[in-house]
């Protein structure tokens, strides 16, 4: 990690601590600790177990995409690689956008393949994971629309989901239709910049325009292979959907752990809304996701829990989905880094 990236990460974590500190101030630290002390240890253990199930499900999605690209990894190795990916996402600003380059390098190292193929794989998985999240959120919003009148916050949240459901696929389609024009612009913008850096730092050799075009072409070719494999897409979407459902089960169990049961239907809407907050410049969305989850939970008419109870359940849930992959992935990245140095 270079100094600029390290500085951005430190600033991001400081921002996360500030947001979390504001949440703690609003609900009261003492009250939150009382809620957490009363949590059922066995149910919290189930939250961790379900979290591992989510990681396995999304690792299967990654393994499927890698298989389409001709990269063969076992489920266990895919699980380790995916946790390494989650580690990268959780310690770099802007979540997946910040962690994808590191993840691509991890895949390329473990699978002994080209960097651009690894980047295409993780980009495809992230795109496929988007589809079930928005679909489930829309189902949840539709359900609540039949049950009650939305307040201002829920109207805003639903508007965000609908906008993403329309805008993101449209941008992906436009980008794909104009991929050759994008390739030309990328080459024209970055090759001169890389040459200047190579001139200042002689340890780097400046790439030719042909080599950059070839790498970008390989990236688009890999994306096309994934997009045209219907079986691979179906399996990946099924695994991704299972992963989202397991995340919802984890949050549902977190509420049971503090003896504050909520309808599972609320999870359909709440969990995807929290994931949307992961695009903030906070590492892994830390702070932003917790704030959004508590805000949306407090706004749902069917969820009659206090802000303190909501934050308590969210702390248990996020403690599992954030720290479990960070711990496993941190070990994976450290071992692979040590091996590559050795």
């Amino acid at each position: 990690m270079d100094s600029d990236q390290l500085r951005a990460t430190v600033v991001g974590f400081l921002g996360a601590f500030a947001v979390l500190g504001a949440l703690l101030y609003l609900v009261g630290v003492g009250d939150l600790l009382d809620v957490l002390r009363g949590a059922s240890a066995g149910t919290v253990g189930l939250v961790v177990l379900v979290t591992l199930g989510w990681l396995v499900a999304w690792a299967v999605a990654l393994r499927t995409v890698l298989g389409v690209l001709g990269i063969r990894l076992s489920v266990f190795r895919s699980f380790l690689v995916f946790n390494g990916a989650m580690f990268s996402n959780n310690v770099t600003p802007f979540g997946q956008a910040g962690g994808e380059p590191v993840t691509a390098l991890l895949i390329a190292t473990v699978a002994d393949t080209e960097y651009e193929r690894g980047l295409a794989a993780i980009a495809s998985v992230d795109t496929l994971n988007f589809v079930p999240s928005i679909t489930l959120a829309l189902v949840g919003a539709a359900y609540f629309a039949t049950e009650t009148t939305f307040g201002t916050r829920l109207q805003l949240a639903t508007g965000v989901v609908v906008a993403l459901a329309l805008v993101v696929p449209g941008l992906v389609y436009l980008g794909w239709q104009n991929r050759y024009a994008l390739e030309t612009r990328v080459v024209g913008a970055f090759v001169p910049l890389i040459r200047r850096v190579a001139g200042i730092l002689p340890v780097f050799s400046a790439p030719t325009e042909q080599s950059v075009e070839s790498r970008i072409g390989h990236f688009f070719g890999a994306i096309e292979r994934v997009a045209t494999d219907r079986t691979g897409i179906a399996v990946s979407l099924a695994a991704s959907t299972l992963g989202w459902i397991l995340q919802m089960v984890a949050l549902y169990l977190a509420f049971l752990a503090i003896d504050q049961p909520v309808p599972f239907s609320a999870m359909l809407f709440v969990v995807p809304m929290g994931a949307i907050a992961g695009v903030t410049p906070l590492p892994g969305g830390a702070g932003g996701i917790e704030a959004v989850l508590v805000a949306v939970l407090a706004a749902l008419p069917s969820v009659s829990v206090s802000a303190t109870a909501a934050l308590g359940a969210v702390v248990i849930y996020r403690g599992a989905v954030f720290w479990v992959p960070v711990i496993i992935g941190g070990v994976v990245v450290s071992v692979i880094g040590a091996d590559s140095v050795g």
Side-chain angles (χ1 to χ4, degrees):
M1 183 180 293
D2 59 34
S3 59
D4 290 339
Q5 188 176 11
L6 179 61
R7 190 180 302 111
T9 299
V10 170
V11 171
F13 273 111
L14 290 176
F17 292 146
V19 175
L20 291 172
L23 276 175
L24 290 174
Y25 175 78
L26 290 174
V27 304
V29 177
D31 292 339
L32 176 62
L33 290 177
D34 288 340
V35 170
L36 294 177
R37 274 194 290 263
S40 166
T43 309
V44 172
L46 286 177
V47 173
V48 174
L49 186 62
V50 171
T51 297
L52 290 172
W54 153 59
L55 292 169
V56 170
W58 280 14
V60 169
L62 175 61
R63 179 176 184 265
T64 303
V65 171
L66 290 173
V68 171
L69 297 176
I71 303 171
R72 306 299 174 190
L73 288 181
S74 65
V75 174
F76 179 68
R77 286 172 67 84
S78 298
F79 173 78
L80 295 179
V81 170
F82 182 73
N83 276 273
M86 291 302 300
F87 171 80
S88 301
N89 293 341
N90 287 345
V91 301
T92 55
F94 295 100
Q96 292 172 335
E100 276 190 348
V102 179
T103 302
L105 182 60
L106 179 64
I107 293 173
T109 302
V110 173
D112 192 22
T113 188
E114 302 89 354
Y115 176 84
E116 54 269 21
R117 191 179 296 189
L119 184 60
I122 193 62
S124 298
V125 170
D126 287 343
T127 302
L128 291 170
N129 284 340
F130 171 82
V131 177
S133 69
I134 292 298
T135 302
L136 291 169
L138 290 174
V139 170
Y143 172 80
F144 286 114
T146 64
E147 296 292 317
T148 185
T149 302
F150 280 9
T152 303
R153 278 188 289 180
L154 283 184
Q155 289 177 351
L156 176 61
T158 304
V160 170
V161 173
V162 173
L164 287 173
L166 296 174
V167 172
V168 172
L171 290 176
V172 171
Y173 176 79
L174 288 175
W176 182 252
Q177 291 297 108
N178 296 279
R179 59 189 181 278
Y180 299 115
L182 288 174
E183 177 182 338
T184 301
R185 291 182 181 179
V186 169
V187 172
F190 283 97
V191 170
L193 177 61
I194 296 174
R195 284 176 177 170
R196 289 194 203 99
V197 173
I200 299 172
L201 303 172
V203 292
F204 296 102
S205 58
T208 63
E209 290 190 4
Q210 291 76 13
S211 65
V212 175
E213 288 176 355
S214 176
R215 285 181 174 272
I216 296 176
H218 288 159
F219 170 78
F220 284 136
I223 292 290
E224 188 169 2
R225 285 178 64 180
V226 175
T228 55
D229 191 303
R230 295 183 179 180
T231 301
I233 288 177
V235 173
S236 297
L237 284 175
S240 175
T241 302
L242 175 60
W244 280 112
I245 292 174
L246 288 172
Q247 284 194 58
M248 295 169 189
V249 171
L251 182 55
Y252 177 78
L253 288 172
F255 276 101
L256 291 182
I258 61 172
D259 198 24
Q260 294 284 339
V262 298
F264 184 79
S265 56
M267 304 299 101
L268 294 174
F269 188 70
V270 172
V271 171
M273 286 305 305
I276 291 172
V279 302
T280 61
L282 305 172
I289 292 178
E290 286 81 1
V292 169
L293 287 174
V294 172
V296 176
L297 283 164
L300 288 175
S302 61
V303 180
S304 55
V305 294
S306 65
T308 303
L311 181 57
V314 167
V315 166
I316 294 171
Y317 163 72
R318 284 286 293 162
V321 300
F322 184 91
W323 286 108
V324 169
V326 162
I327 293 170
I328 299 174
V331 173
V332 171
V333 171
S334 297
V335 170
I336 292 176
D339 288 345
S340 62
V341 172

